[in-house]
Amino acid sequence: GAGVSQSPSNKVTEKGKDVELRCDPISGHTALYWYRQSLGQGLEFLIYFQGNSAPDKSGLPSDRFSAERTGGSVSTLTIQRTQQEDSAVYLCASSPRGGQGVDEQYFGPGTRLTVT
Amino acid sequence: KNQVEQSPQSLIILEGKNCTLQCNYTVSPFSNLRWYKQDTGRGPVSLTIMTFSENTKSNGRYTATLDADTKQSSLHITASQLSDSASYICVVSAGEGYSTLTFGKGTMLLVSP
């Protein structure tokens, strides 16, 4: 079946511009997660959705970052006034139930963002 | 501070050989530990998930071990194949919300013919 998809796969933008990254989770998955992977660094948690609500957005690095999820499905991560330090691969994952425990997360291929 | 340290940072082995990757963590309270494989340009794919009560789990040629007392885990790859070339990431959950998932930086494995 279809996995998690993300678009665009690559995005180059000028410093100061806004960008929107899209994630299409696996159909029926309740939980959705955004992560950031910088060069040479481990994955960094950004935000977690359960349905359309975000019970944990503690990983968002600044108020320039926001995310929403609609219809319990598609999510968009928006970065306003991009900075060069925002350059990274942004990964989205979904899981069937969310919550605690050992719910398996399925990752998308990521969006590589480069801010020039 | 919760931390996950992986070693070695990178590793080159010959096809057909075995190897073991290490993960040490200082995450508390512990909920579960996961090993992921990440091919270049792709998202991570789960290999194993272990809770506190499990000390070994296998997935084909991959075997993970967990020692919750010493807070160490290992991932053993048997009879390596060229397709095993990837980054292997250790992730520990502290069990109190998703902001407490702590990721290691990964071990980059290259299997050489």
Side-chain angles (χ1 to χ4, degrees):
Chain A
V4 178
S5 61
Q6 293 185 245
S7 61
S9 55
N10 283 283
K11 177 71 176 179
V12 180
T13 189
E14 293 180 351
K15 178 182 174 181
K17 299 289 187 182
D18 298 351
V19 295
E20 278 192 357
L21 312 180
R22 176 186 170 109
C23 173
D24 285 83
I26 293 173
S27 179
H29 278 195
T30 302
L32 185 147
Y33 318 81
W34 283 99
Y35 298 93
R36 179 169 70 174
Q37 188 173 32
S38 301
L39 188 63
Q41 301 297 315
L43 273 77
E44 174 189 5
F45 167 82
L46 297 178
I47 188 170
Y48 155 59
F49 286 93
Q50 185 74 17
N52 291 334
S53 63
D56 190 347
K57 56 179 75 172
S58 60
L60 295 177
S62 76
D63 58 8
R64 296 187 295 105
F65 287 72
S66 63
E68 65 175 10
R69 189 179 185 195
T70 56
S73 181
V74 173
S75 176
T76 55
L77 176 69
T78 302
I79 308 173
Q80 295 178 311
R81 305 181 303 282
T82 52
Q83 303 294 314
Q84 287 185 332
E85 61 263 28
D86 299 334
S87 296
V89 175
Y90 289 82
L91 289 159
C92 174
S94 70
S95 68
R97 298 179 307 276
Q100 286 307 305
V102 292
D103 200 26
E104 186 63 76
Q105 294 188 25
Y106 299 84
F107 284 82
T111 292
R112 180 175 296 278
L113 175 66
T114 303
V115 181
T116 60
Chain B
K1 179 182 178 181
N2 289 338
Q3 286 187 315
V4 175
E5 300 288 341
Q6 292 188 243
S7 63
Q9 185 175 10
S10 62
L11 180 63
I12 301 174
I13 62 173
L14 290 175
E15 184 179 11
K17 297 296 186 182
N18 303 336
C19 68
T20 301
L21 313 180
Q22 300 290 342
C23 173
N24 296 339
Y25 61 92
T26 56
V27 176
S28 182
F30 176 86
S31 175
N32 60 77
L33 184 145
R34 312 163 187 231
W35 282 95
Y36 285 91
K37 177 187 178 189
Q38 185 174 23
D39 293 312
T40 301
R42 309 289 294 272
V45 174
S46 178
L47 296 175
T48 63
I49 302 176
M50 288 184 292
T51 60
F52 183 88
S53 60
E54 298 173 293
N55 56 25
T56 187
K57 183 166 280 190
S58 292
N59 178 359
R61 295 180 296 102
Y62 301 100
T63 299
T65 64
L66 173 64
D67 186 334
D69 291 331
T70 61
K71 298 187 178 180
Q72 295 180 326
S73 175
S74 65
L75 181 69
H76 186 74
I77 304 175
T78 303
S80 61
Q81 300 176 358
L82 298 179
S83 59
D84 293 332
S85 296
S87 178
Y88 291 83
I89 303 170
C90 177
V91 185
V92 181
S93 171
E96 291 293 336
Y98 285 86
S99 58
T100 56
L101 274 179
T102 305
F103 292 81
K105 294 182 180 181
T107 292
M108 180 64 67
L109 173 66
L110 176 62
V111 180
S112 175

